[in-house]
Amino acid sequence: MAEVVVAAFFPALRAGFVAWDDDAYLLANPNYRGLGLAQLRWMFTSMAGHYSPLTWLSLGIDYVLWGMRPAGYHATNVLLHALAAAGAYVVARRVLAAAVGPEPRAALRVGAVVAALVFAVHPLRVESVAWISERRDVLCGVCFVLAVLAYLRAVEPDTRRPRAWYWAAVTLAALALLSKAMAVTLPVILMTLDVYPLRRLGRGRWTRREVWLEKVPFVTLSTAAAVLAVVAQRSLGALSDMSAFGVVDRLGLTCYALMFYAWKTLLPCDKRAADIVRTLRRGEGLAVTRLTAPAEVQPAMQPELAIA
């Protein structure tokens, strides 16, 4: 599985830095370059839109290894995603085994391979893997997948050292959250797995106190990460108040996001930065574009915004 990912994303190694976040985050930012006390202090205190100190730490390691040669940064992204893909295969196989039983093994392997490939080489992964500034996606992804895997091992009836696996899952959850706040959904994922296919929760089992209590560390970490994410977004003025976007506008944005990602998952075509401008020319999604386009790109889009 890892080899398939490396083969699919190998062309990214020939890519460079791009003028979309890479220029501001990496080329014009000397603060992450190195692993000295000054750099580490900046990594763990910076609120530049995201609180992601582990991501900055990985970029600092890249700088120590590669300097400002982009091929090394791209190689790290590809290797992290390859590890996540391998982990996704193991998770898929364990989930399928819990759902339908351990036999037949060949069918389980085929199902796990298909599930892992859909995750690993889907065109939507290109943005995260081939774009250096999205290091937080692939780093969060590998920690997230490994946290789920450790949790599955911890709750298996015949597993050895379940408490060690459990605290490994909590630690990996913390690392995922320190990479990107997207991992706040992990407690929901774990509770969903507890209902099916693990069947630890459900009819006649909703009152299992130990199952709920074991989620407390995960919920606590996710809550803290959510607060830090809001603080980080406010530091850049990225959050709008109700006077700028009302309830109807926000519901529209939510529906647009749900439809957009579902549609692109099923039909991943026309996914490029130019689509934002083309969408504006059609007079659609103005508020969505204002909220999601990177800040350094928005000034260049002002003529299109005026037309829209």
Side-chain angles (χ1 to χ4, degrees):
M1 185 61 59
E3 292 172 352
V4 170
V5 169
V6 172
F9 289 98
F10 187 80
L13 302 184
R14 299 194 298 268
F17 297 106
V18 299
W20 196 319
D21 285 5
D22 285 355
D23 51 352
Y25 289 169
L26 303 173
L27 298 179
N29 178 17
N31 296 302
Y32 73 95
R33 299 177 188 173
L35 298 175
L37 290 178
Q39 288 83 12
L40 293 173
R41 185 182 301 110
W42 181 86
M43 293 171 187
F44 282 88
T45 58
S46 173
M47 292 284 184
H50 300 272
Y51 184 70
S52 50
L54 192 62
T55 298
W56 285 118
L57 182 61
S58 72
L59 292 168
I61 294 173
D62 272 344
Y63 178 78
V64 172
L65 294 175
W66 318 107
M68 293 305 294
R69 294 186 292 274
Y73 295 75
H74 284 295
T76 303
N77 273 21
V78 173
L79 291 176
L80 285 171
H81 187 56
L83 179 58
Y89 166 79
V90 180
V91 167
R93 187 166 177 176
R94 288 184 175 276
V95 169
L96 288 172
V100 301
E103 302 292 343
R105 294 185 178 182
L108 290 178
R109 284 197 294 267
V110 171
V113 166
V114 172
L117 284 176
V118 170
F119 161 74
V121 297
H122 193 283
L124 288 182
R125 300 290 85 75
V126 173
E127 178 181 333
S128 297
V129 180
W131 186 15
I132 298 175
S133 288
E134 281 302 282
R135 169 66 59 78
R136 53 181 173 264
D137 267 17
V138 289
L139 187 56
C140 176
V142 68
C143 294
F144 193 103
V145 170
L146 293 178
V148 174
L149 178 57
Y151 180 81
L152 291 173
R153 290 295 305 272
V155 300
E156 286 181 351
D158 57 347
T159 192
R160 297 177 59 183
R161 303 181 64 186
R163 299 307 297 173
W165 283 109
Y166 171 78
W167 287 111
V170 173
T171 301
L172 287 163
L175 294 177
L177 290 164
L178 290 174
S179 303
K180 189 175 183 180
M182 175 179 64
V184 295
T185 58
L186 182 59
V188 178
I189 300 298
L190 299 182
M191 284 188 285
T192 302
L193 290 173
D194 280 336
V195 175
Y196 186 83
L198 300 178
R199 300 178 178 88
R200 302 176 72 223
L201 293 174
R203 181 179 299 177
R205 296 185 294 272
W206 292 112
T207 57
R208 293 185 61 183
R209 186 168 177 266
E210 72 279 4
V211 177
W212 293 101
L213 286 177
E214 69 188 17
K215 304 301 183 301
V216 171
F218 296 100
V219 174
T220 302
L221 289 171
S222 291
T223 302
V227 172
L228 287 173
V230 172
V231 173
Q233 289 289 294
R234 285 193 180 279
S235 69
L236 289 184
L239 296 181
S240 58
D241 55 28
M242 294 298 291
S243 62
F245 294 99
V247 175
V248 175
D249 295 320
R250 294 170 189 271
L251 288 175
L253 293 173
T254 302
C255 292
Y256 176 89
L258 292 173
M259 293 174 59
F260 176 86
Y261 287 107
W263 177 251
K264 291 301 182 183
T265 298
L266 297 174
L267 192 63
C269 59
D270 293 330
K271 189 178 186 295
R272 51 188 181 271
D275 293 336
I276 296 177
V277 175
R278 183 162 59 251
T279 299
L280 287 170
R281 287 185 178 136
R282 292 199 304 265
E284 302 172 1
L286 176 58
V288 176
T289 306
R290 281 188 179 275
L291 285 178
T292 60
E296 63 271 19
V297 177
Q298 290 186 16
M301 299 171 66
Q302 291 304 318
E304 303 296 342
L305 290 172
I307 293 173

